[in-house]
Amino acid sequence: MKAFIKSNAFRSVIVLLAIVLVSGLLLSVFNDVLYVSAEERLARTIAKVYGEQVEATEQAISEDHRANAYGEIELVYLVKDGDILIKSTGVGGFKGGTVTLWTAFDCTQSPDGKTKWEGIGKVVYESNIKQTYISKTSGMYAAFTLHNDELLKGALFTTDKSGNDITNITAGASMSSAAINNAVNAAIVYLRSVYLGAEQNYLYEDYIDLANSAVTVGEGKIDYALTVKSNSPAKQFLIDITVEDGTITAYEIKTNGSTAQKYIDRMPEEIKNGTAFLGKNETQIKALLSDKGALTPDSGLLSTGATRSVESCVRAAAFAVCNYALIFSQGGLE
């Protein structure tokens, strides 16, 4: 035993134990010193947005509106002078990833509790999932504050240069840019729905450019000429659909929004020629999309190499068949 105690092995064990004890002590000390509470992290975020420390009161999120076509609402705060600060995650990024942002809405609150929106004050980056080119998007956040007149008239942001919405593209990172746009859009849609009283009239309305779409109501049927909004990187699709007595009887892609012929070639033939939708009703078409408007695994359409294009085609079918009864009773779009 005495020989072991005097050996180099024993000395090494003692040194290692000492290192472990000292390291543990230092780690404990640094954890205490460097610990940042959730409240402090929030305060730092708000200071980053507003340039100063301001009071913020967390608001309950409406579960009916937490998720929309553009993403999901994470947190909502009422801050100085009635401003509303929303943390939201946008979908549609590279490899199905997301981007999370804080959007500060300049608002005023009336004595009777009504909110008046005056525009976007600032957009601040928070985090991302799988967006390898996110650094290339750093210059685009300031642009969100430059279009308040258009936003107050009902516009949203897009990476597609066609259509009536606001184009906001960062070159070299189009899909990350799409997720960023969608994060801001998700927050705008939530603000409009929950605080400004703007409700959607139609199911899947977010995906359709209604101003550039038309319907013709006939005897027991509706003929749709739909303009489907961009689904980055896919651009707008123009699709004609006929629904009779709640069932799709005709489906034709007039303009394919795929960015290149190779993506058109990767689309399933039954999607391109519309036969995938013929004879299907509301329940059958809804089963192809999740609550957030993405293709479901059960649809069998996810691994085609042209997912965004296929998704746009399914969304058009969903809008047409799911709103058949309402549009028929109205005699057209309202």
Side-chain angles (χ1 to χ4, degrees):
M1 177 62 71
K2 290 182 179 180
F4 174 71
I5 292 174
K6 293 180 179 180
S7 68
N8 289 333
F10 180 75
R11 292 170 184 163
S12 296
V13 170
I14 295 299
V15 170
L16 288 173
L17 285 173
I19 291 173
V20 169
L21 290 172
V22 172
S23 298
L25 179 61
L26 289 174
L27 183 60
S28 177
V29 170
F30 279 118
N31 277 341
D32 288 339
V33 172
L34 300 177
Y35 172 74
V36 179
S37 67
E39 293 77 9
E40 177 61 21
R41 285 196 296 272
L42 172 62
R44 291 180 182 180
T45 297
I46 292 176
K48 185 177 179 182
V49 174
Y50 289 99
E52 60 180 335
Q53 295 286 349
V54 297
E55 291 187 7
T57 305
E58 186 172 356
Q59 306 295 293
I61 295 176
S62 167
E63 292 303 323
D64 290 340
H65 299 283
R66 179 185 290 274
N68 56 52
Y70 302 99
E72 188 163 338
I73 305 305
E74 309 289 346
L75 292 166
V76 180
Y77 290 92
L78 183 64
V79 294
K80 64 172 188 175
D81 301 325
D83 286 0
I84 294 173
L85 179 64
I86 298 179
K87 180 182 180 182
S88 56
T89 296
V91 297
F94 179 63
K95 290 188 175 180
T98 60
V99 176
T100 299
L101 307 173
W102 292 88
T103 303
F105 295 101
D106 293 336
C107 299
T108 56
Q109 307 293 329
S110 66
D112 60 357
K114 292 184 178 179
T115 299
K116 180 182 179 183
W117 179 32
E118 298 173 350
I120 291 178
K122 195 169 186 178
V123 174
V124 175
Y125 169 80
E126 170 74 11
S127 62
N128 77 87
I129 295 176
K130 296 192 291 190
Q131 303 309 288
T132 54
Y133 286 172
I134 196 68
S135 61
K136 295 187 176 183
T137 66
S138 59
M140 72 183 289
Y141 299 104
F144 288 111
T145 66
L146 304 178
H147 303 280
N148 287 329
D149 287 344
E150 296 149 280
L151 292 174
L152 295 176
K153 294 176 182 177
L156 290 170
F157 293 98
T158 180
T159 56
D160 188 355
K161 293 181 180 179
S162 57
N164 294 330
D165 284 328
I166 303 163
T167 301
N168 192 10
I169 296 177
T170 296
S174 59
M175 296 189 74
S176 293
S177 298
I180 290 170
N181 284 310
N182 284 340
V184 178
N185 287 342
I188 293 172
V189 169
Y190 184 86
L191 179 80
R192 287 172 176 166
S193 299
V194 175
Y195 289 92
L196 307 180
E199 294 288 345
Q200 287 185 190
N201 293 322
Y202 304 107
L203 292 174
Y204 304 103
E205 179 180 331
D206 284 343
Y207 310 122
I208 307 299
D209 182 352
L210 291 178
N212 290 299
S213 297
V215 303
T216 302
V217 178
E219 281 196 31
K221 73 171 185 176
I222 300 175
D223 293 316
Y224 295 85
L226 297 179
T227 298
V228 186
K229 289 183 178 180
S230 62
N231 186 20
S232 185
K235 306 301 183 183
Q236 283 186 340
F237 274 70
L238 303 182
I239 302 175
D240 288 353
I241 303 173
T242 298
V243 179
E244 298 185 51
D245 296 324
T247 300
I248 296 175
T249 58
Y251 187 108
E252 181 181 1
I253 298 173
K254 307 297 287 189
T255 300
N256 192 307
S258 298
T259 55
Q261 184 62 44
K262 65 179 181 180
Y263 294 112
I264 296 177
D265 294 340
R266 291 173 185 173
M267 293 175 65
E269 196 61 36
E270 64 270 23
I271 296 292
K272 287 190 290 184
N273 62 28
T275 56
F277 307 108
L278 299 183
K280 287 189 169 59
N281 58 26
E282 177 176 345
T283 300
Q284 292 168 306
I285 296 296
K286 273 186 172 180
L288 303 177
L289 295 173
S290 70
D291 291 341
K292 296 181 181 180
L295 294 172
T296 62
D298 292 340
S299 69
L301 299 170
L302 280 172
S303 302
T304 66
T307 301
R308 298 290 189 264
S309 293
V310 173
E311 210 165 56
S312 291
C313 294
V314 177
R315 289 172 173 179
F319 177 86
V321 73
C322 292
N323 295 296
Y324 169 81
L326 175 58
I327 294 172
F328 192 84
S329 66
Q330 294 174 167
L333 291 172
E334 290 189 355

